[in-house]
Amino acid sequence: MTISERAQQLLAARTPFVHATVVRAQQPTSAYPGDEAILLADGTIEGFVGGQCAQNSVRKAALGVLQAGESVLLRVLPDGDVHFPEAPGACVVVNPCLSGGSLEIFLTPQLPPPLIRIYGATPIADAVIQVCAVLGYEAVGDARRETELTDTAAVVIASHGGPEAEIIRAALDNGVGYIGLVASKVRGLSILNELELSDTERARVHTPVGLAIGAKTPAEIAVSIAAELIAAVRDGSLTRLAVPVNGGPIEAVDPVCGMTVLIGPATEHLQLAGADYWFCCSGCRAAFAAGKASV
């Protein structure tokens, strides 16, 4: 499977990843311009953008790119004075493990679009789905009593009745950042009072839903709702990305070269006298083991 095919597979599965491309290389290095790889949130690298030493720097930077959601030009340089063209705005990493070569790698986050669930078989619900599609959001219409909200960024309830309180409760319990209820001020307040919400929970429920633009028709109401969704996306409250922050890859310091490495399935590891040691490459692991054996 090519990198492009794998990327399409991950996008279809709504799996966040980073696409890494080598854009400049200075010998000696094992990577060449055009080499590319996919990096997953657990630190897995699929493809090739350099040897083990470079991979550790790329892996750590990629996790930061996923969490920030912004592209980065990563410059991986060896220790010491290196004559390498300046790249304003680039993220520079000095890697003491490198054998002398330098790399510039462009890291691009590929994040799934916000998943918006719309409840109701009404003209407003249909219009919201259409507007969300124009915005590039993934809109899922569901007129049933469906409360499966995994990976859901926002819920819009436009059913004009039915299990509205149940859906709101499920959305709150699943950590959905934006919950919009299409209802009059009086009816919306009645439903929220029935739920006995905390102040924090109440702030996540928008009713009447949408920005106050004087909307009357289903299409206009859908635009007002979409505008409120856009505001939530831009202030970060709609981000529902499964990137491990707590409980994700943990770090260790290579006892030979002093480099910080992310611990993962492919990280070089050695256990001696009940203690665990982690290394940036097999060379550091062998040097450490030889030093311990000579003691």
Side-chain angles (χ1 to χ4, degrees):
M1 182 181 295
T2 66
I3 292 295
S4 178
E5 291 171 338
R6 178 58 171 150
Q8 290 303 314
Q9 183 185 64
L10 292 170
L11 288 171
R14 294 185 54 81
T15 302
F17 65 95
V18 170
H19 183 207
T21 305
V22 177
V23 295
R24 184 180 291 157
Q26 178 176 288
Q27 299 299 320
T29 179
S30 55
Y32 295 88
D35 286 345
E36 56 182 346
I38 282 173
L39 296 98
L40 302 178
D42 65 358
T44 300
I45 297 179
E46 301 177 14
F48 186 79
V49 287
Q52 287 184 330
C53 290
Q55 285 182 3
N56 277 296
S57 295
V58 175
R59 183 181 286 114
K60 186 174 182 180
L63 186 58
V65 165
L66 274 180
Q67 292 171 355
E70 297 180 355
S71 298
V72 163
L73 178 62
L74 177 69
R75 307 180 78 221
V76 186
L77 309 179
D79 213 357
D81 183 25
V82 177
H83 299 289
F84 205 53
E86 288 295 328
C91 174
V92 178
V93 173
V94 176
N95 189 326
C97 180
L98 294 182
S99 57
S102 304
L103 291 169
E104 280 191 353
I105 303 169
F106 193 64
L107 304 174
T108 306
Q110 299 291 332
L111 309 177
L115 176 58
I116 317 296
R117 292 191 183 275
I118 296 95
Y119 293 85
T122 64
I124 292 176
D126 294 340
V128 172
I129 292 173
Q130 293 173 7
V131 174
C132 283
V134 171
L135 294 172
Y137 301 162
E138 185 172 339
V140 178
D142 196 339
R144 301 168 298 164
R145 292 178 57 129
E146 176 64 61
T147 54
E148 172 53 52
L149 299 171
T150 302
D151 194 33
T152 300
V155 161
V156 177
I157 306 167
S159 56
H160 299 313
E164 295 167 314
E166 178 185 339
I167 295 170
I168 291 172
R169 184 69 266 168
L172 289 168
D173 292 343
N174 281 272
V176 176
Y178 176 99
I179 304 162
L181 173 63
V182 178
S184 67
K185 185 176 295 186
V186 173
R187 194 171 74 83
L189 182 60
S190 174
I191 293 172
L192 297 186
N193 288 340
E194 174 189 337
L195 288 167
E196 299 181 352
L197 304 179
S198 67
D199 291 341
T200 302
E201 290 176 327
R202 177 64 184 82
R204 287 160 57 194
V205 183
H206 300 255
T207 186
V209 68
L211 296 185
I213 59 174
K216 297 294 185 183
T217 68
E220 291 172 348
I221 294 170
V223 169
S224 74
I225 294 171
E228 203 165 57
L229 288 171
I230 292 170
V233 168
R234 295 308 175 192
D235 71 16
S237 61
L238 234 64
T239 302
R240 291 296 303 272
L241 178 60
V243 177
V245 178
N246 297 317
I250 58 175
E251 299 178 345
V253 176
D254 186 321
V256 176
C257 68
M259 179 180 173
T260 300
V261 298
L262 291 178
I263 297 175
T267 309
E268 292 288 340
H269 171 245
L270 185 65
Q271 188 175 67
L272 291 173
D276 290 300
Y277 301 92
W278 305 89
F279 307 89
C280 68
C281 63
S282 57
C284 282
R285 180 184 184 279
F288 184 81
K292 288 293 185 179
S294 64
V295 174

